[in-house]
Amino acid sequence: MKKISRRSFLAAAGVSAAALALTACGGSGNSTAASSAAASTAPAGDAAAAASDPKVTLVYAEVNPLDTIVGQTGSHFKEKVEELTGGSVVIDVQASGVLGSENDVLDAILGGSTSIDISRISAFALTSYGCNKSKLLSIPFTFENRAHFWNFANSELAPEFLNEPQELGLPVRGIFYGEEGFRHFFTVKPVSGIADFKGLKLRVSNDPVMNGMVEGLGANPTVVSFGELYSALQTGVVDGAEQPIANYKSNAFPEVANNLILDGHTLGAVQAVITDSAWNKLTENQQAAVMEAAADTQAFNADLSETAENKVLDELKSSGCNVVDVPDKTPWQEACAKVISENTSDQAELYQKLLDMKA
């Protein structure tokens, strides 16, 4: 479906965004290559010359706190943009969901609001706006490990996903990929395996893939906004939820749901999108600088994510969080077989290409 029909994007910007997806990397050894390759296909303009251009402030929405992986990623993007433009472009990072949930922000910017210019979103967030390719990135147990995801993000297939909103006429364009670690369930009462999920009320964001996954585990999907999740866990509205490890800790969820089971059902693939109206505020020099900063930020996220996640997991264990390992994920995969089939059958060939990119 097409919720928005308006299309106004520059061809050069589309090529640049595609280059960023093609040059995503999984470690510091590839960071220079990623940045230089993206810069070589950036919009016509001179990033270094952007310092003398008119000053522009762009509002960047982030639902999580600044100390999370995605929060640090947003801060890095801000620093690089302001450095490369000599301060002519200022990124105003509004974190901790002060501008609303991901869906609230997307509804606003796709509806024509100009109060938010850039948003870091989960890859599947655009699914409800017709981006079916993006849905494949959130299918349970698609990516075996981080290297598998970055193989995709560094492939010729990646631009098909990153540029899908533009193809549908949505007034946003992707500027970089990232990930925030694998997502795991956490609960108020201890759980040791799938059997313990039967009948539990698990928070979902009303995404059909997530709903189907929760139902496959024998639990009841319960829609609660992210901003209300802490109180919902505290008051018993829900019995559990799922998040990447760093977000789980930073949002203080262990205070009300101190049981974490490492099922790793999906990798938290993310991207940043900029609105057409914001893009068109920038000069060609500023556009070039933003895309160069985006390439650098993508590499930064690849370097940061695993190290940061491991550190947080150690801190959780030390603080007394009940962390349960899942050495055999086969039963979990089998429980999700229906939702996987239902949400990939119409794109079976494309989905198989993703699976074939295993590290």
Side-chain angles (χ1 to χ4, degrees):
M1 81 175 174
K2 293 186 180 180
K3 258 188 112 170
I4 306 290
S5 59
R6 138 171 105 89
R7 180 197 301 268
S8 64
F9 63 90
L10 303 175
V15 172
S16 177
L20 283 175
L22 284 168
T23 55
C25 68
S28 59
N30 293 328
S31 300
T32 301
S35 297
S36 61
S40 69
T41 53
D46 181 356
S52 60
D53 289 339
K55 188 171 183 178
V56 178
T57 297
L58 302 179
V59 176
Y60 181 114
E62 171 54 58
V63 72
N64 284 292
L66 289 177
D67 62 348
T68 60
I69 291 169
V70 285
Q72 292 179 64
T73 298
S75 294
H76 183 85
F77 179 68
K78 168 185 171 66
E79 292 168 4
K80 290 303 296 184
V81 168
E82 293 175 2
E83 172 192 333
L84 291 170
T85 63
S88 71
V89 178
V90 174
I91 304 297
D92 178 14
V93 179
Q94 294 290 316
S96 299
V98 296
L99 297 179
S101 68
E102 288 184 12
N103 287 339
D104 292 336
V105 170
L106 280 174
D107 282 342
I109 62 179
L110 294 178
S113 171
T114 57
S115 61
I116 302 170
D117 303 297
I118 301 172
S119 180
R120 193 285 308 163
I121 59 173
S122 301
F124 65 80
L126 286 165
T127 299
S128 59
Y129 304 93
C131 294
N132 289 325
K133 293 175 184 175
S134 296
K135 177 176 67 174
L136 298 181
L137 301 180
S138 67
I139 301 298
F141 303 104
T142 294
F143 297 110
E144 288 191 344
N145 47 42
R146 281 188 163 87
H148 187 178
F149 169 75
W150 287 108
N151 279 352
F152 154 72
N154 195 41
S155 73
E156 294 182 358
L157 190 62
E160 289 189 31
F161 291 73
L162 196 62
N163 295 332
E164 188 177 17
Q166 297 152 30
E167 295 171 1
L168 295 176
L170 302 178
V172 295
R173 70 197 69 211
I175 55 176
F176 64 82
Y177 268 129
E179 50 97 351
E180 51 184 340
F182 280 91
R183 302 178 74 96
H184 310 279
F185 285 103
F186 56 93
T187 56
V188 176
K189 296 181 179 179
V191 295
S192 59
I194 292 178
D196 296 326
F197 279 80
K198 186 174 182 180
L200 292 184
K201 295 173 292 184
L202 298 181
R203 180 263 177 180
V204 296
S205 57
N206 205 26
D207 171 68
V209 174
M210 187 179 293
N211 286 353
M213 176 180 63
V214 167
E215 290 171 351
L217 296 175
N220 300 315
T222 305
V223 177
V224 172
S225 70
F226 188 76
E228 298 174 352
L229 179 53
Y230 184 97
S231 61
L233 289 162
Q234 190 175 42
T235 59
V237 172
V238 294
D239 303 307
E242 54 86 59
Q243 279 290 303
I245 291 172
N247 295 352
Y248 168 64
K249 183 176 184 293
S250 289
N251 287 283
F253 293 134
E255 294 177 359
V256 289
N258 199 39
N259 303 283
L260 178 67
I261 185 163
L262 302 178
D263 64 296
H265 45 271
T266 57
L267 182 72
V270 301
Q271 63 174 294
V273 296
I274 184 171
T275 67
D276 282 345
S277 61
W279 183 258
N280 292 331
K281 292 178 186 177
L282 305 175
T283 66
E284 288 186 345
N285 294 334
Q286 290 170 330
Q287 289 171 355
V290 165
M291 297 310 288
E292 185 177 338
D296 187 271
T297 301
Q298 184 165 289
F300 169 84
N301 172 271
D303 288 340
L304 169 70
S305 189
E306 184 170 10
T307 301
E309 183 179 73
N310 289 340
K311 181 176 181 292
V312 170
L313 184 58
D314 287 341
E315 292 171 350
L316 285 169
K317 291 178 178 178
S318 298
S319 67
C321 181
N322 176 34
V323 179
V324 178
D325 288 319
V326 181
D328 181 12
K329 295 184 181 179
T330 303
W332 297 78
Q333 293 169 326
E334 292 173 349
C336 295
K338 181 180 178 182
V339 71
I340 293 172
S341 174
E342 288 177 345
N343 288 279
T344 61
S345 59
D346 60 336
Q347 301 182 85
E349 184 177 350
L350 184 60
Y351 185 60
Q352 188 59 50
K353 289 181 180 179
L354 281 181
L355 297 178
D356 290 343
M357 292 179 179
K358 295 177 184 178

